[in-house]
């Protein structure tokens, strides 16, 4: 590949990026950062890019890379170009170091680890960050051929100021910024150097990332200036905390994008929820992707850490489940059941699709829909516990026998079935409590289900009447 970097996009448009390290699962915080980059790029009519920072060769496996790409795809955050891989650009990074050496903005350093530790202590005592004694030395002939690091020659005085789009103006004393290593003694470029070179070459105009990188912004700005490159705008968003205000961890529940998918959350719900977790548009809690793109400005990002609230996430997810296509939900529920070890037949899938309009009003996640659908696939005759047998005996059983032909003659829709049940209760001169528990036991065997009219509709006339007949026979 050519080593000449492409020209920056400059005024041609906003370019953002997400740059995850493929070292395991895709954290929900990374997903939120990706979403913010995506929304801002789309809001500005710009481009959203992905860079895989795969310099940790032991952990950056193909499988881990795929986890990142799958997570972004599931969330619907599709980049405008194929991903860039950082490790493959090591030679370009070394070229930038050569440029800094030639400009006198970097120097060669032969300090050993013990010497480095000693110099760091001396620097701390003197009230400034580490400065290598090699900073102003001229190496002896031939020494350059021996292993050594290359350090950045940063300013000793003054301040480096970051006008952060979220955090506001943040100032760093240059005396507190060490002469960081740019190239290790084994020739491997370091993080801050690689990030600057890659962001420059990719034409990144806005670096939107977690506020744990805020300290890096000062070091990176100095490298930009030393290379005479335009510095991008920075926006550092707060981390996501648990509901208790502590840093998000396993004890708070799901953390990875894949976990949320397996727990039955919809990607559009996650986009909506994550957008609201660190940004706001008035009091709007639920909004479409189109609205998010229209409204989103990273300058409106909140400075306080977002708190993971599963109750709110479930509320938002329930909204999107009710809006979702029945066929899509059926496929998701079938997949969830397969993960539980239950493979639905074609006939059962058709039954689930038929029932989905009445099931999806009750489920906040796909897994809850699967739980709600379990009664559909119970094998006949349904077992009855002692309570169910007691309910289906005596006068109640006779009442259900009188109800059965009325149901058989009904048009099988939820409103019609509701009307039949209401009319029957009135004709019997009793409330629903006199027969509804027994009818539910007959239809579901005690499994969770919607209200009776919806349960009848979901089962369909043949299955519902068959179950009722079975139960009346067992209770006789």
């Amino acid at each position: 590949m050519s080593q000449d970097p492409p020209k920056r996009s400059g005024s041609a448009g906003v370019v953002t990026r997400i740059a995850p390290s493929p070292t395991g699962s895709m954290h929900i915080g990374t997903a939120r950062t990706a979403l913010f980059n995506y929304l801002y790029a789309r809001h500005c009519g710009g481009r959203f890019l992905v860079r895989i920072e795969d310099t940790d060769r032991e952990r950056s496996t193909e499988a881990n890379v795929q986890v990142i790409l799958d997570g972004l795809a599931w969330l619907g955050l599709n980049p405008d170009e194929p991903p860039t891989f950082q490790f493959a650009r090591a030679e370009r990074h070394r070229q930038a170091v050569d440029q800094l050496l030639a400009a006198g903005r970097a120097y060669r350093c032969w300090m050993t680890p013990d010497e480095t530790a000693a110099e760091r202590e001396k620097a701390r005592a003197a009230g400034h960050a580490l400065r290598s004694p090699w900073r102003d030395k001229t190496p002896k002939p031939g020494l350059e051929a021996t292993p050594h690091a290359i350090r950045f020659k940063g300013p000793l005085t003054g301040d480096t100021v970051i006008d952060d789009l979220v955090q506001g103006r943040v100032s760093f004393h240059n005396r507190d910024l060490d002469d960081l290593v740019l190239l290790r003694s084994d020739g491997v470029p370091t993080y801050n150097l690689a990030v600057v070179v890659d962001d420059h070459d990719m034409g990144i105009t806005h670096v939107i990332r977690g506020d744990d990188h805020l300290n890096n912004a000062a070091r990176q700005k100095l490298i930009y200036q030393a290379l005479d490159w335009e510095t991008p705008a920075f926006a550092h968003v707060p981390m996501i905390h648990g509901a208790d205000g502590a840093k998000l961890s396993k004890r708070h529940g799901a953390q990875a994008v894949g976990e949320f998918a397996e727990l039955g959350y919809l990607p559009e719900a996650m986009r909506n929820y994550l957008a609201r977790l660190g940004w706001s548009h008035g009091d709007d809690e639920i909004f479409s992707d189109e609205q998010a793109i229209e409204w989103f400005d990273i300058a409106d990002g909140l400075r306080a850490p977002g708190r993971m609230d599963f109750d709110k996430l479930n509320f938002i997810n329930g909204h999107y489940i009710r809006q979702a296509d029945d066929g899509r939900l059926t496929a998701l529920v079938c997949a969830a059941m397969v993960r539980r070890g239950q493979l639905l037949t074609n006939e059962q899938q058709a039954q689930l699709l038929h029932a989905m309009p009445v099931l999806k009003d009750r489920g906040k996640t796909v897994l809850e829909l699967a739980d709600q659908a379990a009664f559909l696939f119970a094998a006949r005759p349904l077992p009855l516990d002692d309570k169910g047998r007691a309910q289906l005996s005596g006068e109640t059983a006779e009442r259900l026998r009188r109800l059965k032909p009325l149901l058989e003659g009904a048009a099988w829709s939820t409103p019609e079935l509701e009307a039949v049940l209401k009319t029957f209760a009135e004709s019997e001169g009793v409330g629903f409590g006199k027969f509804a528990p027994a009818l539910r036991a007959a239809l579901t065997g005690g499994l969770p289900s919607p209200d009776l009219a919806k349960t009848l509709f979901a089962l369909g006339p043949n299955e519902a009447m068959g179950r009722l007949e079975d139960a009346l026979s067992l209770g006789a």
Side-chain angles (χ1 to χ4, degrees):
M1 69 183 241
S2 171
Q3 297 299 324
D4 293 331
K7 293 181 179 179
R8 288 178 58 84
S9 60
S11 60
V14 164
V15 184
T16 67
R17 52 75 166 172
I18 182 69
S21 299
T23 53
S25 59
M26 184 179 181
H27 193 271
I28 197 67
T30 302
R32 197 267 304 267
T33 302
L35 175 65
F36 280 12
N37 277 277
Y38 176 89
L39 289 176
Y40 190 65
R42 293 290 177 265
H43 173 78
C44 297
R47 292 184 296 140
F48 166 66
L49 306 180
V50 172
R51 180 173 69 243
I52 304 296
E53 298 193 337
D54 55 345
T55 52
D56 184 340
R57 302 309 293 163
E58 184 175 337
R59 299 175 67 190
S60 297
T61 63
E62 286 188 20
N64 283 344
V65 171
Q66 197 58 49
V67 166
I68 297 293
L69 300 180
D70 288 346
L72 291 171
W74 181 78
L75 284 165
L77 307 180
N78 300 308
D80 295 301
E81 296 177 8
T84 295
F85 290 85
Q86 190 170 71
F87 180 75
R89 293 176 43 78
E91 184 57 35
R92 168 64 183 141
H93 302 148
R94 285 188 280 269
Q95 286 180 356
V97 173
D98 290 340
Q99 185 177 338
L100 289 168
L101 283 168
R105 300 306 303 271
Y107 61 93
R108 303 178 189 277
C109 176
W110 283 266
M111 280 197 301
T112 66
D114 287 344
E115 290 171 339
T116 300
E119 288 294 331
R120 183 169 284 113
E121 286 300 318
K122 286 171 56 179
R124 185 178 292 116
H128 58 76
L130 174 66
R131 311 291 179 209
S132 169
W134 291 97
R135 179 183 170 102
D136 298 311
K137 278 186 180 180
T138 301
K140 295 178 181 179
L143 191 58
E144 289 185 15
T146 63
H148 61 280
I150 297 178
R151 290 181 176 274
F152 182 68
K153 194 172 187 177
L156 300 176
T157 59
D159 295 327
T160 296
V161 177
I162 304 296
D163 286 312
D164 194 273
L165 296 176
V166 173
Q167 303 295 333
R169 173 161 286 204
V170 184
S171 183
F172 298 85
H173 298 309
N174 289 331
R175 67 172 181 268
D176 297 330
L177 302 176
D178 62 354
D179 284 358
L180 74 158
V181 173
L182 300 173
L183 210 61
R184 298 187 181 96
S185 59
D186 59 2
V188 175
T190 58
Y191 170 79
N192 279 302
L193 170 78
V195 166
V196 168
V197 176
D198 289 345
D199 281 344
H200 171 266
D201 288 2
M202 292 171 68
I204 303 303
T205 63
H206 291 72
V207 174
I208 303 170
R209 57 191 178 186
D211 62 3
D212 54 328
H213 286 285
L214 183 56
N215 285 337
N216 288 328
R219 294 175 170 85
Q220 291 167 12
K221 181 175 181 178
L222 290 174
I223 296 174
Y224 275 106
Q225 292 173 336
L227 289 165
D228 197 25
W229 291 345
E230 182 183 352
T231 304
F234 289 107
H236 291 87
V237 297
M239 308 296 282
I240 299 175
H241 288 180
D244 58 0
K247 184 179 179 181
L248 195 64
S249 65
K250 289 182 179 179
R251 67 187 176 86
H252 293 111
Q255 298 181 84
V257 171
E259 291 180 283
F260 285 94
E262 290 186 358
L263 287 171
Y265 293 98
L266 302 182
E268 57 267 41
M270 291 303 300
R271 290 194 298 270
N272 189 150
Y273 178 74
L274 289 175
R276 194 64 179 77
L277 197 64
W279 167 83
S280 66
H281 182 268
D283 294 327
D284 294 294
E285 291 288 350
I286 295 179
F287 38 79
S288 67
D289 290 332
E290 293 75 17
Q291 287 173 317
I293 289 170
E294 179 185 351
W295 296 339
F296 188 86
D297 190 331
I298 192 58
D300 296 328
L302 306 178
R303 295 187 185 183
R307 294 197 179 194
M308 195 70 197
D309 184 339
F310 280 89
D311 288 338
K312 183 174 290 186
L313 174 58
N314 288 337
F315 169 76
I316 292 174
N317 201 61
H319 166 83
Y320 283 98
I321 280 179
R322 292 188 293 275
Q323 303 296 316
D325 175 74
D326 292 341
R328 176 191 174 200
L329 290 178
T330 298
L332 290 172
V333 171
C334 287
M337 288 185 164
V338 167
R339 291 195 295 272
R340 292 177 172 181
Q342 183 179 4
L343 181 63
L344 299 186
T345 65
N346 289 339
E347 182 179 349
Q348 288 174 322
Q349 291 180 37
Q351 186 179 13
L352 178 60
L353 178 61
H354 165 77
M356 191 55 68
V358 299
L359 293 178
K360 68 183 185 180
D361 286 342
R362 292 169 55 86
K364 295 185 290 292
T365 69
V366 171
L367 295 190
E368 286 190 7
L369 288 183
D371 293 338
Q372 293 293 331
F375 80 95
L376 294 172
F377 313 118
R380 290 176 53 194
L382 275 62
L384 294 174
D385 58 19
D386 291 342
K387 181 179 179 181
R389 286 179 177 276
Q391 289 171 332
L392 284 156
S393 61
E395 184 180 356
T396 302
E398 292 303 317
R399 186 166 281 128
L400 292 184
R401 288 190 176 94
R402 293 194 293 274
L403 172 62
K404 186 170 179 287
L406 300 178
L407 291 172
E408 289 172 335
W412 213 260
S413 68
T414 300
E416 177 69 15
L417 292 166
E418 286 177 344
V420 168
L421 293 173
K422 181 179 179 181
T423 301
F424 176 73
E426 292 172 350
S427 67
E428 294 281 314
V430 297
F432 269 49
K434 290 296 184 179
F435 66 92
L439 179 58
R440 185 179 295 280
L443 297 174
T444 70
L447 292 171
S449 68
D451 65 43
L452 276 175
K454 292 179 179 179
T455 296
L456 287 162
F457 172 82
L459 288 169
N462 292 335
E463 181 69 16
M465 293 302 95
R467 290 187 182 192
L468 181 54
E469 185 62 40
D470 291 343
L472 291 171
S473 300
L474 289 171

